[in-house]
Amino acid sequence: MGRLAENSYKLDVTKEKMKKLGFRYDNEVDGYVYKFPVYKYNKIPVLFCKIGMDEETNRIWFNVYDNYGLYMPYYNAEYGKNMVVPLIEERIENEFTKLGIRKVR
């Protein structure tokens, strides 16, 4: 299985349906995003994923964040294997399934 970030995804829903699914307006990205925790330490969420959608193409984008911004170990495997990344990927895949997000070619 390849990394999630290496693929393209799509969600065919209206803005109203997005809101019902839990998407909320985010000023930072000037659009609707769905935010959820992907990793907890001592039951406290420390890593989050934001999923957004280009409303013209219905293409999905997502990023993984910590409290300081992008969680770079998710994107950069240069320094070895990170044991948290597979857990993050699994959590994101579960949310994709729950929301009806599908992989496109």
Side-chain angles (χ1 to χ4, degrees):
M1 178 182 88
R3 294 280 312 269
L4 289 175
E6 296 170 354
N7 299 305
S8 296
Y9 300 92
K10 199 168 188 177
L11 178 62
D12 293 315
V13 295
T14 64
K15 190 182 290 187
E16 289 305 313
K17 177 70 174 173
M18 285 175 64
K19 290 178 186 178
K20 287 181 182 177
L21 287 171
F23 283 77
R24 299 292 177 252
Y25 188 79
D26 185 330
N27 286 326
E28 283 184 28
V29 298
D30 191 27
Y32 287 87
V33 299
Y34 180 85
K35 184 178 175 182
F36 60 98
V38 291
Y39 186 76
K40 296 178 182 180
Y41 179 76
N42 288 334
K43 299 183 183 181
I44 298 171
V46 293
L47 299 176
F48 300 88
C49 179
K50 275 189 186 179
I51 299 172
M53 182 175 84
D54 180 322
E55 292 183 46
E56 291 179 19
T57 64
N58 290 350
R59 293 283 179 156
I60 293 295
W61 58 265
F62 69 94
N63 289 310
V64 177
Y65 299 89
D66 61 15
N67 288 332
Y68 305 104
L70 282 177
Y71 179 63
M72 293 314 294
Y74 178 76
Y75 300 97
N76 187 355
E78 174 180 329
Y79 298 107
K81 187 172 180 169
N82 183 326
M83 302 304 282
V84 174
V85 170
L87 300 173
I88 294 170
E89 294 256 305
E90 182 180 344
R91 182 73 172 107
I92 293 171
E93 278 186 307
N94 290 340
E95 288 297 314
F96 278 12
T97 300
K98 178 178 138 185
L99 296 171
I101 295 172
R102 59 184 171 82
K103 184 164 82 169
V104 294
R105 298 186 188 267

